[in-house]
Amino acid sequence: VQPAAARWATALARWAIPQELIDAVPESPWPLPPAMFAYRPPPAGRGDTPSVRRAREALPARGVVLDVGAGGGAASLPLARDCALVLAVDESEAMLRAFAGAADAAGVPHEEFQGRWPEVAREVPVADVVVCGHVLYNVSPLVPFAEALTAHCRRRVVVEVTLLHPASDLNRLWRHFHGIDFPARPTLDDGVAVLREMGLAVEVERWEAPPRADGDLRVLAAFARRRLCLPPEREAEVEALLDPADPLPMTRQVATIWWGPREPS
Ligand SMILES: C[S@@+](CC[C@H](N)C(=O)[O-])C[C@H]1O[C@@H](n2cnc3c(N)ncnc32)[C@H](O)[C@@H]1O
């Protein structure tokens, strides 16, 4: 294992939740609620995000987009009108159901593949552009994951990630409820170092996403309460600690990372 790849794996392992906290509650802390990742078409007049722009500029007319860790389709469905087909990979069946509904609503042909990337990659066709939004901090080891993304693109891979681990917004809550501090790493720069160590010609653009348009504070509070290994009756306490105007400020600090296919050797 190369040094940056090993650093990524070691840093990510330090984000493990202590087993005794997991064992103390009936629900698993890990599932992500599909409602938190429901696709909402961007408000009229708001331009493309840098990630959508980088994907669009590489997409041929009526091209095919592959969305890995698709969730509700936030990374791919803004391209719906410009492509002939969207392929979605996700390990969660519930997410793929939400994706399929949103793709129907967007009027784009779509196909779903349930399973973990890169394990399912062999079943998934190659696409013009591969997009992957907010998945990398869930991935260890990172090299085979990124290699399979690269092998599936004819033109470009576009990855969106937060500058810090997406659970960083919960750090003050972990401290508050359990007296636990999670580490600052890995960061965007650690991830980019792995990709560059693989020999990929990676480009990076940092940007700030707008605060989430909320109605979904309840959904976020339910997610946070469960991730924090707290029982349902403590949900109001968690919700009271979130700022309704900007409940997850750190996850708004994001970056778009993109690279092309490997040159044939
Ligand atoms: C944080 S959500 C992001 C969803 C969407 N891409 C977005 O930007 O809103 C991460 C998604 O990736 C999926 N996921 C995480 N690791 C995966 C893996 N190795 N293979 C397939 N899906 C994965 C999860 O089930 C979840 O739906």
Side-chain angles (χ1 to χ4, degrees):
V1 180
Q2 300 295 299
R7 265 199 305 277
W8 176 268
T10 307
L12 215 45
R14 297 208 176 99
W15 277 86
I17 296 176
Q19 191 60 40
E20 63 273 19
L21 293 182
I22 297 178
D23 292 344
V25 284
E27 299 162 297
S28 156
W30 298 119
L32 294 170
M36 212 169 129
F37 297 97
Y39 176 63
R40 297 183 193 88
R46 183 177 289 169
D48 284 344
T49 65
S51 304
V52 174
R53 199 177 316 133
R54 294 305 174 187
R56 198 190 294 285
E57 69 190 14
L59 189 64
R62 313 296 301 148
V64 177
V65 172
L66 164 61
D67 190 346
V68 175
S76 53
L77 292 182
L79 300 160
R81 250 184 275 148
D82 308 300
C83 56
L85 175 65
V86 182
L87 309 169
V89 174
D90 206 290
E91 61 186 342
S92 153
E93 195 184 344
M95 289 287 192
L96 286 178
R97 262 200 309 277
F99 170 85
D104 281 340
V108 66
H110 54 94
E111 253 178 74
E112 287 75 51
F113 299 84
Q114 193 192 346
R116 270 189 84 76
W117 191 268
E119 286 82 8
V120 285
R122 246 178 297 133
E123 297 163 32
V124 179
V126 167
D128 296 299
V129 173
V130 177
V131 296
C132 177
H134 302 283
V135 182
L136 288 203
Y137 291 98
N138 195 45
V139 174
S140 187
L142 185 49
V143 171
F145 185 97
E147 203 61 78
L149 294 179
T150 310
H152 274 72
C153 87
R154 278 188 286 263
R155 302 257 178 118
R156 182 175 283 178
V157 178
V158 180
V159 167
E160 188 173 300
V161 277
T162 43
L163 302 195
L164 299 176
H165 193 292
S168 300
D169 274 309
L170 300 185
N171 281 357
R172 67 191 175 86
L173 301 182
W174 278 107
R175 213 169 294 131
H176 176 88
F177 287 105
H178 297 296
I180 294 178
D181 276 308
F182 281 109
R185 296 177 75 179
T187 63
L188 162 73
D189 291 338
D190 293 320
V192 168
V194 177
L195 300 171
R196 293 203 165 126
E197 188 173 74
M198 293 168 65
L200 299 169
V202 170
E203 299 192 67
V204 182
E205 179 177 348
R206 293 164 186 246
W207 51 286
E208 188 171 326
R212 298 167 74 104
D214 276 305
D216 52 11
L217 193 64
R218 273 266 155 79
V219 174
L220 293 180
F223 157 74
R225 188 272 302 161
R226 200 168 156 169
R227 179 60 64 88
L228 289 157
C229 302
L230 295 170
E233 58 272 21
R234 300 198 70 180
E235 202 151 302
E237 250 179 282
V238 174
E239 188 172 333
L241 290 166
L242 297 172
D243 173 0
D246 198 3
L248 301 177
M250 316 259 252
T251 56
R252 298 197 292 105
Q253 306 297 321
V254 292
T256 302
I257 306 175
W258 69 100
W259 66 92
R262 287 199 185 274
E263 301 295 332
S265 48

